[in-house]
Amino acid sequence: MAHFVEELRLEAERAIVAMQTAALAARQLHARAELMRHMLTTARKVADKPKAEAVETVVREWMEAWNLRRGDWPHIAREMEAFTAAFHDYANEPGDANDAALRRACDALDAVLARENTSISDQMAFRSQCAHRWWELVVPVPSDLPGAKPRPSVPDLDGQTPFWQSGCAEFCR
C-alpha cells in the first residue's frame, strides 16, 4: 500500500496526464470548429455572389489570414478552393448531400495540409488572425514556422512550452 504522500503524487500525475490529453484534444477540436464556424459565416456573407467570385473572395481572405501566399502554396490553395466551394454550396443549400461534400472537401484539405506537416487546427492556431490565446498555452507556436507573421490578435507569450511544463511542474518531480 502506498503511503499518503506517494499516493497523492501518483494521483496528481494521473490527473495531470488526463488534463494534458484533454487540453490537447480540446485545442485541436476547438481550432478546427472555429475554422468551420468562420468559413460558414464567411460563405453566408458571399452566398448571393456568383460562386466563382464568392470562392475567390473567401480563399483570398483565408490564405491571407493564414499568411500563406497562393503562389508559394498552390496545392493548398487548390484544396482551399474546393473546400470553400463546398461551403458556398452548403451556405446556399444546407442538406445532407452538401454536408457530405463539405466533409469530403475538409478531409482533402486536411490531407494536403498533413503532407506539409500541419493541419486545419494548426493553421488556425499558429497562423490565423482569428486565433485564441489559450491555444498557444497548450501548443506553443513553433519558433521555426515558415512564413509566420505577427498576429496582433494574439499577444506574444514568453514561453515555448505548454503551460503544464512551466512553473512548478518542471521542478516538482
Side-chain angles (χ1 to χ4, degrees), residues 27 125-126 131-143 150-164 166:
R27 180 268 192 186
F126 296 159
H132 292 246
R133 183 179 186 274
W134 75 268
W135 296 343
E136 291 184 27
L137 295 173
V138 174
V139 180
V141 175
S143 57
R151 296 171 301 154
S153 64
V154 181
D156 285 338
L157 299 175
D158 55 359
Q160 288 296 309
T161 59
F163 69 88
W164 55 78
S166 59

Side-chain angles (χ1 to χ4, degrees), residues 38-52:
H38 281 291
M39 287 296 295
L40 186 55
T41 300
T42 306
R44 285 178 175 154
K45 284 193 307 191
V46 295
D48 59 338
K49 292 185 178 185
K51 187 173 180 176

Side-chain angles (χ1 to χ4, degrees), residues 27-68:
R27 180 268 192 186
Q28 180 178 351
L29 289 168
H30 187 235
R32 186 179 178 86
E34 277 296 281
L35 175 63
M36 301 311 152
R37 185 180 68 77
H38 281 291
M39 287 296 295
L40 186 55
T41 300
T42 306
R44 285 178 175 154
K45 284 193 307 191
V46 295
D48 59 338
K49 292 185 178 185
K51 187 173 180 176
E53 181 184 339
V55 167
E56 175 56 31
T57 299
V58 175
V59 169
R60 185 178 57 250
E61 183 177 311
W62 277 104
M63 294 291 287
E64 187 176 302
W66 284 358
N67 297 313
L68 297 176

Side-chain angles (χ1 to χ4, degrees), residues 80-92:
M80 186 56 127
E81 287 168 5
F83 180 65
T84 303
F87 263 103
H88 183 270
D89 293 345
Y90 184 83
N92 280 293

